[in-house]
Amino acid sequence: MAKAGSERQAQGGIGLARIRKLRAAEAEIFRAARPKSEASYGKGIAGFFGGVPMHWMNDWPTPFPIIVDRARGATILDIDGIRLDDFCLGDTGSMFGHSPLPVARAIRRQADRGLTYMLPDEDTLVLGRLLSERFGLPEWQIATTATDANRFALRVARAVTGRPKILVFNGCYHGSVDETMVRLVNGRPVNRPGLSGEFRDLTKATKVIEFNDIAALEKALANKDVACVITEPVLTNSCMVLPDPGFHDALRRITKQTGTLLLIDETHTISTGPGGYTKRFGLKPDLFVLGKPVAGGVPASVWGMSAEVARRYRAYERAKEPGYSGMGTTLSANPLQFAAMRATLEEVMTEENYARMETLAERLATGLSAAIADNALPWHVARVGARVEFICAPGPLRNGAEAENAHAPALEAAIHVTLVNRGVLIAPFHNMMLISPATTARQVDRLVRAFGEVAAQLAA
């Protein structure tokens, strides 16, 4: 596969000159349609560093961020009155649609009862059981983000094993957990580029190998110095990489043989079903993390432990010296999270909703694949449940290195802006699209039609 990058003369089989011409033309259309947003944004929103409340809001490929008026279901309305079919859905945070009615009701109810008080309430009496039934592990803790949950779970893994290192797969994504910010370059582990203020060589505490490489996994765990393997069941937040048949069985077998714990991070792959990829495919992790959509859009995450890990951690806590564990934040496990999470698990993350999401995701993947084939483009489509990606390179991909090489940033940015101008919003990173319970077949068909128009324009 050719290396991605601006130094190439083409990306995804399309010449860079054509890509730049398309993006420039579509940028002007975008600007002309949004005078209020442009005037409101100007050179940035006053008072915010970089002009935005969070730096990645500037990473959208549009000339300036869309200023949202409101969002409902699978639709966003901006302040210029333009309606967008939303397939980004907050990059999974609103995977079940914007403000699902059961969650909105729960938030209104809890608003009159208090937003935080560092104590459990009646919802927690139900929530612990719901988490165990849904995701299979018996003991749980609540945090605010998946980054926090992963960080805390890795602390537990190191504590109970007495081992210093973790292992990640090249191209992985687990939020902003320091130890996971490593990659392979020419087969050597290095810190990821661009880390702000990082003064450590993160590879001292983290091993990194390629996804789907069972021989490398056996070699990396052989010294028995790895506390935990942390992985998504499917590599996401890169160009999507599905596991080879038998890979997860081998991963579980080798981790057990070497006394290494296995942490499954389902934050993106919860698109697979009500119990995530873990439940659908019978994975047996020692630790489990889920963030983003678990409370229907309210910031929340959960992390669970097997009975054996919980037993070992209790023994560790009894033996260790007293003091702060380095785990937990004051606003984690607050009653607003409890209420929203209970409503999400009981009324939103249902088998019926997932069946609808799966059907429409298959419709979307089929339509995108047909448009790619009709225009003889060297691209492919990948899907995990309700999550669909078109990838501007041949596939399927097998590891993080292939995913990195498949990334075509200039081409993807041009496609993104062109889709926005046709009333469709997808994720600004890696062409990710989500189907929610609120998404309609008509919206899916509009996306397929818009994508087909863009593909034909690029391939002409």
Side-chain angles (χ1 to χ4, degrees), residues 89-175:
L89 295 170
D91 192 24
T92 311
S94 293
M95 190 180 80
F96 302 110
H98 297 288
S99 299
L101 287 177
V103 177
R105 285 196 300 266
I107 291 171
R108 286 194 294 270
R109 173 179 61 85
Q110 191 58 46
D112 288 333
R113 299 182 176 188
L115 298 179
T116 188
Y117 29 70
M118 293 185 71
L119 290 166
D121 65 5
E122 288 186 287
D123 284 327
T124 62
L125 305 180
V126 178
L127 194 52
R129 173 181 57 79
L130 288 174
L131 290 169
S132 296
E133 291 174 353
R134 178 64 60 89
F135 303 116
L137 296 178
E139 302 198 32
W140 292 85
Q141 291 280 273
I142 293 176
T144 300
T145 69
T147 293
D148 288 339
N150 279 319
R151 188 180 292 123
F152 302 158
L154 289 176
R155 279 186 174 270
V156 169
R158 285 188 167 116
V160 303
T161 63
R163 298 177 179 182
K165 296 188 177 184
I166 68 164
L167 183 143
V168 301
F169 294 106
N170 190 33
C172 70
Y173 183 73
H174 302 287

Side-chain angles (χ1 to χ4, degrees), residues 305-325:
M305 297 175 275
S306 69
E308 174 63 12
V309 170
R311 181 192 66 77
R312 292 168 67 183
Y313 189 55
R314 275 191 287 272
Y316 171 85
E317 289 226 292
R318 287 193 297 269
K320 80 177 181 71
E321 61 184 345
Y324 181 51
S325 67

Side-chain angles (χ1 to χ4, degrees), residues 154 157-159 161-167 179 202-207 223-228:
L154 289 176
R158 285 188 167 116
T161 63
R163 298 177 179 182
K165 296 188 177 184
I166 68 164
L167 183 143
E179 298 99 314
L202 298 173
T203 66
K204 298 296 185 184
T206 305
K207 297 183 180 184
N223 288 341
K224 298 185 178 181
D225 57 349
V226 174
C228 183

Side-chain angles (χ1 to χ4, degrees), residues 233-295:
V234 174
L235 285 191
T236 66
N237 225 54
S238 59
C239 297
M240 191 188 295
V241 179
L242 298 172
D244 287 346
F247 174 70
H248 279 295
D249 289 339
L251 174 61
R252 182 67 284 193
R253 172 179 55 80
I254 295 166
T255 50
K256 280 187 175 295
Q257 286 175 350
T258 57
T260 308
L261 300 184
L262 176 60
L263 190 164
I264 297 292
D265 180 355
E266 287 267 14
T267 298
H268 286 156
T269 53
I270 192 64
S271 59
T272 312
Y277 196 101
T278 295
K279 189 166 189 176
R280 184 164 179 176
F281 292 98
L283 308 187
K284 301 293 182 184
D286 302 295
L287 297 153
F288 179 103
V289 164
L290 173 60
K292 290 194 178 179
V294 71

Side-chain angles (χ1 to χ4, degrees), residues 10 20 70 81 87 101 198 206 237 271 324 340 390 419 424 429:
R20 294 189 189 107
R70 59 185 180 273
F87 290 87
L101 287 177
E198 183 54 66
T206 305
N237 225 54
S271 59
Y324 181 51
F390 63 87
L419 291 177
V424 176
F429 321 110

